[in-house]
Amino acid sequence: MGLLDRARKSAEKPDDWVSTLMLVDYSSLLYKGLSVNAQMMCKGLYTGGLLGLTDQLGTLVREHKPEHMIVCADGSPYYRKTQVFEQYKEDRKRRKQQFPDEAYAHTRQLGDQFLKTAGIAVWREAGWEADDLFALAVKALHTDYDRILIASADDDLYQLFSYDNVYLCKKNGLYGLRHFQAEYPDLTPEDWVIFNAIKGGHNNYKGIKGIGSVKALEIMRDDALLEATYQQHKELIDVGLQVCSLPLPLSSLEAVTNYPITPKPCAPQYDELAVRTFLRQHGIRPKPTLGQALTHLSGF
């Protein structure tokens, strides 16, 4: 019995099987790896992001054993930045100055090559962010799996807890609707968008000046105060409601009438020798967890 045959046999679902789809924030894994391994190079290429990507993918699959995986990537230019909020992600541009441009170019190039070699498709749509793709995938596929896990730290995604089988992969474990309700008993997932529109979020959208999480919660608890706050800051909050909503409302965009179609999740055609050869060519010794992860995914 070959390796993939054994993987498929082990993937046969027992009675208590939890069917799982994992959605992965490609850019987050890549650039986190680059930051941690900033000085790592091989043959003139920055390879720290590649190492981080392979290590994190191996760990995620080992810990959560998803049946399928969709790797979601930002597709520049961002519609949000160009059509909704001109300053969108300007703060991220400043943070990226810590590395030369070629470091990011090498990281994207090597990451794409690795995923292609491993048989894992990347879902990337021009003008849409990974967070938008997460929301589209959850809406399209939430009835097909017992749970959907999202490997991302963005709290914008809390609004997706309106689907009770969605969880975020955090350092201390999975975070879902039950955890959200315990942390924010006065809010619903649907409230999360206006909450962020008031207090601000990441990606350089700062919300109403002088209002943080505590004050925003006070506002959300009082309908009259919420209405008064909206009337006073209507223009800013309306922008925030667009910037913070997932996916970005089509009504916010010019000449865009349809959302991208979610790809059908499928098993990668994993070639162990090709993956090992590619990584070794770039000075990376693949960990056993990576091979186990790719073998697991290929078994479905």
Side-chain angles (χ1 to χ4, degrees):
M1 184 182 291
L3 182 62
L4 289 185
D5 292 325
R6 290 198 298 273
R8 293 187 177 99
K9 182 174 178 58
S10 68
E12 293 177 358
K13 303 176 182 62
D15 292 339
D16 61 349
W17 176 258
V18 179
S19 178
T20 301
L21 170 67
M22 177 165 283
L23 306 175
V24 175
D25 188 333
Y26 181 41
S27 297
S28 176
L29 265 59
L30 271 180
Y31 298 129
K32 185 187 300 181
L34 177 61
S35 297
V36 171
N37 308 290
Q39 304 305 317
M40 185 173 171
M41 298 189 72
C42 180
K43 301 176 183 177
L45 297 176
Y46 287 83
T47 53
L50 176 61
L51 175 63
L53 175 65
T54 59
D55 284 354
Q56 291 172 88
L57 280 180
T59 298
L60 287 167
V61 175
R62 181 192 64 194
E63 291 183 353
H64 303 295
K65 296 180 172 55
E67 185 173 342
H68 293 125
M69 173 185 290
I70 301 178
V71 176
C72 300
D74 297 336
S76 296
Y78 304 118
Y79 285 134
R80 288 180 173 176
K81 177 184 174 184
T82 58
Q83 296 186 20
V84 178
F85 181 55
E86 188 175 353
Q87 295 79 35
Y88 192 66
K89 288 196 174 180
E90 287 294 327
D91 56 339
R92 189 169 299 187
K93 281 186 177 181
R94 292 191 292 271
R95 290 200 302 271
K96 282 189 174 183
Q97 292 175 359
Q98 63 182 305
F99 295 110
D101 290 344
E102 58 265 28
Y104 293 99
H106 296 167
T107 297
R108 288 190 297 271
Q109 173 189 342
L110 293 174
D112 284 357
Q113 289 175 354
F114 162 73
L115 292 176
K116 182 177 180 180
T117 303
I120 298 175
V122 179
W123 186 19
R124 181 187 283 116
E125 301 280 354
W128 298 95
E129 284 192 285
D131 285 0
D132 294 311
L133 303 185
F134 291 154
L136 294 172
V138 166
K139 182 178 181 180
L141 302 170
H142 71 277
T143 60
D144 296 345
Y145 296 88
D146 295 322
R147 62 181 187 174
I148 296 178
L149 309 185
I150 305 178
S152 172
D154 285 355
D155 67 8
D156 280 3
L157 298 168
Y158 286 7
Q159 64 194 271
L160 300 183
F161 294 148
S162 56
Y163 301 91
D164 60 9
N165 62 339
V166 171
Y167 299 84
L168 301 187
C169 300
K170 294 198 171 190
K171 288 183 179 179
N172 57 348
L174 297 181
Y175 184 100
L177 177 61
R178 176 172 58 86
H179 308 86
F180 172 82
Q181 290 173 333
E183 187 173 0
Y184 298 97
D186 298 314
L187 299 179
T188 68
E190 292 79 9
D191 292 332
W192 193 252
V193 176
I194 190 168
F195 178 62
N196 277 342
I198 291 170
K199 75 172 182 61
H202 66 303
N203 295 328
N204 209 43
Y205 174 72
K206 303 185 186 304
I208 301 171
K209 186 175 181 180
I211 294 184
S213 295
V214 174
K215 180 62 177 177
L217 281 172
E218 292 178 6
I219 293 170
M220 295 293 294
R221 294 188 189 108
D222 186 326
D223 288 344
L225 182 56
L226 177 60
E227 177 63 23
T229 302
Y230 177 71
Q231 293 301 327
Q232 184 177 356
H233 303 278
K234 184 178 186 302
E235 184 174 346
L236 176 63
I237 291 176
D238 282 346
V239 170
L241 291 175
Q242 297 174 75
V243 170
C244 299
S245 292
L246 296 175
L248 177 67
L250 290 176
S251 59
S252 304
L253 307 174
E254 299 173 4
V256 178
T257 57
N258 294 293
Y259 286 118
I261 297 174
T262 302
K264 181 177 177 58
C266 60
Q269 299 302 306
Y270 170 47
D271 184 332
E272 182 180 6
L273 179 59
V275 169
R276 291 176 66 87
T277 299
F278 172 78
L279 292 176
R280 288 183 179 276
Q281 286 175 344
H282 294 92
I284 296 174
R285 182 175 182 178
K287 293 183 178 180
T289 51
L290 176 64
Q292 293 163 6
L294 295 175
T295 300
H296 170 84
L297 290 172
S298 299
F300 289 95

